[in-house]
Amino acid sequence: MKDYNIDELIDIFIEEKKSYCEKKTIDYYNVCLINFRDYIKLKHNDVSILQLTRRNYINYIYNLRNKGVKNTTIRTYCRPVKVFVNYLVDENYMDEDITSKIKYPKNDEKVIIPLSVKEVNLVDEQFDLQKTGLRNFIMIHLMLDCGLRRSEVINLNVNDINIIDNLVIIRNSKNNKSRVLPLPELLSLALLRYININNLSKSLFVMYDTRSRSMSRITENAIKNIFRKLKKVPGLERIHPHLLRHTFATSFVMGGGSMENLRILLGHSDYNITQNYLHISSQYLINRYPIYKLDSIFFNNYNK
């Protein structure tokens, strides 16, 4: 078997991932693999791939813990390394999976409180429901009422909205998965008005680009600016895009939605993340937390 140094194989791995992964995912792999490579080089000079051992990988994890890196972050750093090593084994660059059956530190316990009815009402009061205000209101509620990711909102096109059947189609999202979601009627009507007012034909959410002096697809930075402004409102300091999706998932389970349906709605490939919402929602049900309720289109007898 030909021997390679780690830099060569990281380049080969990244080039292959570029053919089907989003740029954000590629950047994530790059940062984590370079961090691993730097550690290996620091401790073992220019070690070849065939010289790497399970002990090297275990020591890498220990080194992160010794630096005071949080457990959740350690898992985040290690996940791409495991994917990378599995790729090398599958492609016969390595003989052994050095990450196999190695346990990672448990995730840090973090309590994420979903949005209440009062907080969502306060969010809604910030938008005038004219052109820009209506656009921002709809984007917020697609994350809150349909569980969309921020990136999914950005990539929506006009033809992804089915006003007649009240559906929104998410195409080629995370891990190249697509899905179809119910669209609450009030949100569907708001979308129809927004599309007609702006005379849109392709990108659903647009903004004025000062450089090209024309309308273009909304950017991640533009959405971040919307949330920065919301955070300045007293009572909304904790709001962020993923909290909207978290509220959707928790409210869905509290309303009696099944875990399998939630997995499909969120676009998760397995239950590892989805199952966390079962425990969370049980706590809020016991404490009668006034969580924001989803539209009844998602389940039967939710609001009865």
Side-chain angles (χ1 to χ4, degrees):
M1 179 179 288
K2 182 180 176 181
D3 205 356
Y4 292 84
N5 67 46
I6 193 167
D7 287 296
E8 290 178 289
L9 291 176
I10 287 176
D11 289 342
I12 292 171
F13 173 78
I14 291 297
E15 281 303 312
E16 177 158 331
K17 288 293 179 183
K18 283 180 180 178
S19 65
Y20 58 91
C21 287
E22 294 182 8
K23 184 181 182 302
K24 187 180 291 186
T25 304
I26 296 298
D27 292 342
Y28 166 54
Y29 281 132
N30 254 323
V31 168
C32 296
L33 291 179
I34 287 172
N35 189 68
F36 176 66
R37 179 207 66 189
D38 289 347
Y39 167 78
I40 294 298
K41 285 192 171 185
L42 179 65
K43 297 294 182 180
H44 307 285
N45 297 319
D46 195 17
V47 66
S48 72
I49 282 294
L50 293 180
Q51 292 173 309
L52 286 179
T53 64
R54 288 171 60 82
R55 178 52 55 187
N56 296 144
Y57 187 58
I58 290 169
N59 286 343
Y60 171 65
I61 297 170
Y62 175 75
N63 182 67
L64 292 172
R65 297 196 76 181
N66 203 38
K67 286 181 176 179
V69 178
K70 291 182 178 180
N71 290 351
T72 302
T73 305
I74 290 174
R75 295 172 72 92
T76 299
Y77 277 138
C78 289
R79 203 171 295 122
V81 177
K82 185 171 183 62
V83 174
F84 174 58
V85 170
N86 287 338
Y87 167 80
L88 297 182
V89 173
D90 289 342
E91 297 297 321
N92 295 317
Y93 291 113
M94 287 183 76
D95 291 320
E96 177 194 3
D97 179 1
I98 62 170
T99 68
S100 177
K101 298 181 181 180
I102 291 178
K103 293 182 178 180
Y104 301 119
K106 291 184 178 179
N107 279 329
D108 302 298
E109 288 293 330
K110 186 178 180 181
V111 178
I112 303 175
I113 302 173
L115 291 169
S116 66
V117 175
K118 183 179 179 180
E119 287 173 311
V120 174
N121 288 340
L122 187 55
V123 170
D124 291 347
E125 289 172 8
Q126 309 311 309
F127 304 116
D128 60 10
L129 301 188
Q130 298 306 312
K131 277 192 174 183
T132 302
L134 181 60
R135 179 201 67 185
N136 296 348
F137 172 86
I138 294 171
M139 290 194 301
I140 292 287
H141 276 274
L142 280 171
M143 294 183 237
L144 177 63
D145 288 300
C146 299
L148 269 65
R149 301 178 176 96
R150 178 174 56 193
S151 60
E152 292 170 344
V153 169
I154 291 171
N155 292 324
L156 280 174
N157 292 320
V158 173
N159 63 5
D160 295 328
I161 305 299
N162 184 331
I163 300 295
I164 296 175
D165 298 317
N166 290 335
L167 297 172
V168 54
I169 304 169
I170 310 301
R171 305 179 195 273
N172 301 321
S173 186
K174 193 172 182 180
N175 299 319
N176 293 320
K177 291 183 179 294
S178 300
R179 64 193 193 279
V180 180
L181 303 172
L183 192 61
E185 187 173 359
L186 288 177
L187 192 51
S188 183
L189 292 173
L191 274 160
L192 179 61
R193 178 166 170 255
Y194 166 75
I195 292 168
N196 289 336
I197 287 174
N198 292 279
N199 193 28
L200 300 172
S201 59
K202 187 180 179 182
S203 301
L204 182 59
F205 297 115
V206 295
M207 56 182 282
Y208 183 73
D209 187 336
T210 54
R211 285 182 292 185
S212 65
R213 295 184 180 181
S214 62
M215 302 303 287
S216 62
R217 187 181 296 275
I218 198 162
T219 63
E220 185 174 340
N221 280 337
I223 293 181
K224 285 181 179 178
N225 285 334
I226 295 169
F227 279 90
R228 285 193 192 101
K229 291 179 182 178
L230 286 175
K231 282 177 176 287
K232 294 178 181 179
V233 178
L236 295 179
E237 295 87 354
R238 70 191 187 92
I239 195 167
H240 56 87
H242 192 72
L243 181 57
L244 303 179
R245 184 168 153 92
H246 175 84
T247 301
F248 168 83
T250 307
S251 185
F252 181 80
V253 178
M254 286 179 69
S258 74
M259 298 304 294
E260 172 61 12
N261 285 345
L262 179 61
R263 183 187 69 79
I264 294 169
L265 290 170
L266 292 178
H268 289 164
S269 56
D270 56 50
Y271 288 104
N272 289 339
I273 301 174
T274 313
Q275 65 184 0
N276 293 332
Y277 292 108
L278 185 60
H279 176 65
I280 293 168
S281 62
S282 297
Q283 295 182 53
Y284 290 120
L285 277 170
I286 292 170
N287 291 288
R288 298 179 180 273
Y289 180 76
I291 191 171
Y292 173 76
K293 288 187 176 182
L294 302 182
D295 190 276
S296 59
I297 193 171
F298 287 99
F299 23 56
N300 296 323
N301 303 317
Y302 180 48
N303 293 310
K304 294 183 180 179

